[in-house]
Amino acid sequence: MSTQHLPLVIAGPIVRNVTERQCCIWLCTSVSDAPSLALSEGKDVLNGEGSAESVKVGEHAYLHLLRFDTEHPFSQNMRIGYKLCFENNEHQSRWEEELKPLLYQGQSTLSFHFTKTPTTILHGSCRKPHFRGDDALTQVDSLLHAAFTQDTPAPDLLLMTGDQIYADDVAGPMLKAIHFTIEALGLYHESLEGAVVQNTSELASHQHGFYERELLLPQISTNTVLSSLFFGAKKKPVFTSVNAQNHLIGSAEIIAMYLLVWSQALWSLIKIDKENIDEKYHENFEKEEQALNGFVSSLPKIRRGLAHIPTYMIFDDHDVTDDWNLTRGWEQEVYGNPLSKRMIGNALLGYLLCQGWGNAPNKVTPLIESVITKYNSGAAKDHDDLIDQLLDFDQWHYRLDTTPPIEVLDTRTQRWRSESDLNKPSGLMDWEALCDFQHSIIGKESVIVVSAAPIYGVKVIEAIQKIFTFFGKALTVDAENWMAHKGTASVILNIFRHYKTPPEFIILSGDVHYSFVYDVRLRFRRNSPHITQFTCSGLKNAFPDGLIKWLDRLNRVLYRAKSPLNLFTRRRNMSVKPRHPSMGYGELFNGCALGVLKISHNSTQVQCKALLSNGKEVEFPPVNDD
């Protein structure tokens, strides 16, 4: 395919890290011409220095992170216009045409605003393209559209708290679109060790390439658990099974997936057919395609929204694979196999290039340099070396120097592993990581913490997970909670009890596919910190409705305020009060939603709302203390 038929800008621009004197813009182009940035504030052109880092990931695919450092700080809450300027005049003309759908009414340039003191923070997680529900991420665009047309306050930033893609749960039609994208852009394939196929270029046409990828795993004596972890439909009495028969394998597949979930630009070129799809999967394929069509139709709004608001991201398990690093036994088996290790590494590579790069660019500079070396050389050894470097990297967490500061936690790669049992859940963060976290927040007036999984989970669900863990079945129920590991639970709760802990504490989380808000206070202490946890999930995913109703009822009956069962939980010295949603039932709200956190810098009041995909609001009003 000629590049003339490809969009000039395939995905993005996405506004990423914005500080007082710098902005970062991520995008993917089909040409090597990296644009420069021109910034303006009102009618004034901003002086400064621009730079661009670029990674060629295919014959017609270039990922760029553009930066602009200003001579003077951005004005608080003023819109900053930005333009992409291509040196090639033809490229510039093409971009100006492609730009038009990304502008709001009355706007002539893309824009964002910077504030040191955010008052409206959006957050969400779990965006599964083929889930049968509308994408709540479109509400970012709705809020910005209202800001431009009705002069309402624009949200300050967006936090995407995990599972931005589902690398392990891919619809057949999406996999078809991924293979089209790989071919159209010439994304680079790679050789595989320990697999039935010798190169990822064979996956699209292989007889087991769709819905049967578990058969492509190496047939060795130690791969029985590996097969169930990656590809088997795991039986989960409490939670839904994971459909992973189309699990992404190669780095090209991962990168293509990101380009297709961030932007609609390639979808008009994609022709989805049933070639190489076994007839027994046709009915499921057609249902998935119908759901995927709804996802694609929402992409123009999502792309426009992301081009106008600073956006920060952190991974959770589905960005890589379900149960990622859940137990020590899982790690030993998966990282001990060359194919599964490569798959984890490829997913981390995709995360680095399409998510992590824009969070804290300076922290990942050594990794980006290694990626450029790898793609320039094309050597298999360089790919293996890069994956080893990615797996050893321990700086995925980052901090935003806002007021209050925002601490984004890595709860996946710094695990506190169980020494007593291979099958016991690992702690979400180890001793050293928790100590670093505590050191960073000590003495602060207030802090916002982003944890992919809720620190304060629903007690009845955690109790069920604990029972399964006792019988060595932690993987069966995804025992991904902060209380599952004694050491981690003890340290994180002690951090909240520390006398120098910030008096105002907000926790933002997702992961669980339902939404709830808890207000937490320490028992038996007069000056307890005010802890509010706002869990909003998912953007395009939800819990089975009937099951969540029963779990909600059980939780309210078994763990009501004066229930003696509370004495057997690790949080018995804490008062956990739920805020009841204005819609739905009980304490848990089930439905696709975007979290809207509103902070008042003049009081301790924290407002939490779930903005549904249809625009309706679900409020979680605070409960008055007795």
Side-chain angles (χ1 to χ4, degrees), residues 87-139:
E87 287 188 7
N88 184 293
N89 291 333
E90 180 189 350
H91 294 166
Q92 187 65 30
S93 296
R94 287 175 62 190
W95 165 240
E96 288 173 2
E97 283 301 310
E98 293 178 10
L99 169 66
K100 292 177 181 178
L102 299 180
L103 298 175
Y104 291 96
Q105 183 179 333
Q107 303 299 303
S108 59
T109 64
L110 301 170
S111 65
F112 60 88
H113 78 264
F114 168 76
T115 178
K116 185 76 172 178
T117 55
T119 57
T120 303
I121 296 174
L122 310 179
H123 74 106
S125 69
C126 306
R127 187 165 169 251
K128 181 176 173 180
H130 59 286
F131 177 76
R132 291 186 174 277
D134 293 333
D135 195 341
L137 193 58
T138 56
Q139 293 306 308

Side-chain angles (χ1 to χ4, degrees), residues 7-22:
L8 181 80
V9 178
I10 296 166
I14 300 176
V15 182
R16 300 305 314 275
N17 187 288
V18 175
T19 65
E20 207 168 22
R21 289 178 175 269
Q22 185 186 81

Side-chain angles (χ1 to χ4, degrees), residues 277-293:
I277 306 292
D278 193 291
E279 188 174 353
K280 62 186 175 183
Y281 300 118
H282 281 192
E283 183 179 354
N284 187 38
F285 186 93
E286 290 166 3
K287 290 179 180 178
E288 290 177 337
E289 186 173 12
Q290 184 179 5
L292 197 61
N293 287 339

Side-chain angles (χ1 to χ4, degrees), residues 4 67 100 175 297 309 332 383 407 416 431 438 463 592:
Q4 289 297 319
R67 302 196 215 187
K100 292 177 181 178
L175 193 54
S297 68
I309 185 170
Q332 288 184 7
H383 195 126
E407 298 280 346
W416 193 332
W431 171 270
Q438 182 178 31
C592 299

Side-chain angles (χ1 to χ4, degrees), residues 238-239 459-469 477 551 554:
V238 177
F239 302 109
K459 290 180 181 178
V460 73
I461 295 177
E462 292 184 350
I464 293 168
Q465 292 173 330
K466 189 173 182 179
I467 292 170
F468 274 78
T469 298
V477 292
L551 292 172
L554 279 173

Side-chain angles (χ1 to χ4, degrees), residues 104 138-147 301 611:
Y104 291 96
T138 56
Q139 293 306 308
V140 176
D141 179 74
S142 298
L143 293 171
L144 287 165
H145 182 266
K301 289 185 176 181
L611 189 56

Side-chain angles (χ1 to χ4, degrees), residues 503-535:
E504 303 299 329
F505 214 113
I506 301 170
I507 303 166
L508 301 179
S509 62
D511 178 54
V512 292
H513 304 167
Y514 48 86
S515 302
F516 61 98
V517 178
Y518 286 159
D519 287 312
V520 183
R521 303 293 182 268
L522 302 182
R523 297 184 191 273
F524 320 116
R525 185 168 142 184
R526 297 179 64 183
N527 296 318
S528 167
H530 293 77
I531 304 169
T532 301
Q533 177 183 273
F534 183 8
T535 300

